[in-house]
């Protein structure tokens, strides 16, 4: 997954920081969707390849939604930008 994201972003492995595995960390994640496909006729709308590409393209086109360096970011917010999503409080 990391290699796919790096390729889509035109970046290389120099950006990746390896971390020590946590105790009890899962070494592999697998999803078997055969039951939902069989019993409910489920089929994904997008392939992983296409969905990941479209997601990366959306984030690249909408930097103002996530880049705290964008003009207007609230410097006082702990994450650098207040998008009005705090739980019931105004900041």
């Amino acid at each position: 997954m990391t290699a796919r994201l790096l390729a889509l972003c035109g970046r290389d492995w120099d950006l990746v920081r390896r971390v020590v595995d946590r105790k009890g960390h899962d070494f592999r994640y697998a999803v078997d969707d055969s039951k939902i496909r069989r019993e409910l006729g489920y089929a994904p709308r997008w392939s992983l390849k296409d969905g990941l590409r479209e997601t990366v393209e959306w984030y690249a086109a909408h930097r103002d939604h996530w880049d705290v360096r964008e003009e207007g970011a609230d410097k006082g917010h702990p994450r650098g930008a207040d998008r009005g999503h705090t739980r019931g409080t105004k900041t």
Side-chain angles (χ1 to χ4, degrees):
M1 185 63 72
T2 303
R4 288 179 183 204
L5 286 168
L6 289 169
L8 286 168
C9 294
R11 305 308 279 273
D12 59 40
W13 283 91
D14 292 342
L15 292 177
V16 177
R17 285 186 307 147
R18 301 245 179 224
V19 296
V20 178
D21 282 331
R22 299 178 313 273
K23 188 176 183 179
H25 182 218
D26 293 331
F27 292 102
R28 184 177 90 105
Y29 296 94
V31 175
D32 178 2
D33 65 356
S34 61
K35 184 175 181 179
I36 195 169
R37 285 177 183 262
R38 182 178 64 251
E39 294 185 12
L40 300 178
Y42 167 80
R45 292 181 186 170
W46 302 275
S47 67
L48 176 62
K49 179 182 175 181
D50 291 340
L52 199 57
R53 178 185 44 77
E54 288 183 26
T55 299
V56 168
E57 288 172 357
W58 186 93
Y59 276 95
H62 297 91
R63 281 190 89 90
D64 60 315
H65 287 279
W66 60 269
D67 192 342
V68 297
R69 297 171 300 175
E70 288 292 316
E71 189 175 327
D74 181 350
K75 306 293 187 236
H77 190 275
R79 292 187 345 220
D82 177 14
R83 302 284 187 231
H85 299 290
T86 54
R87 297 179 187 203
T89 59
K90 265 189 158 176
T91 55

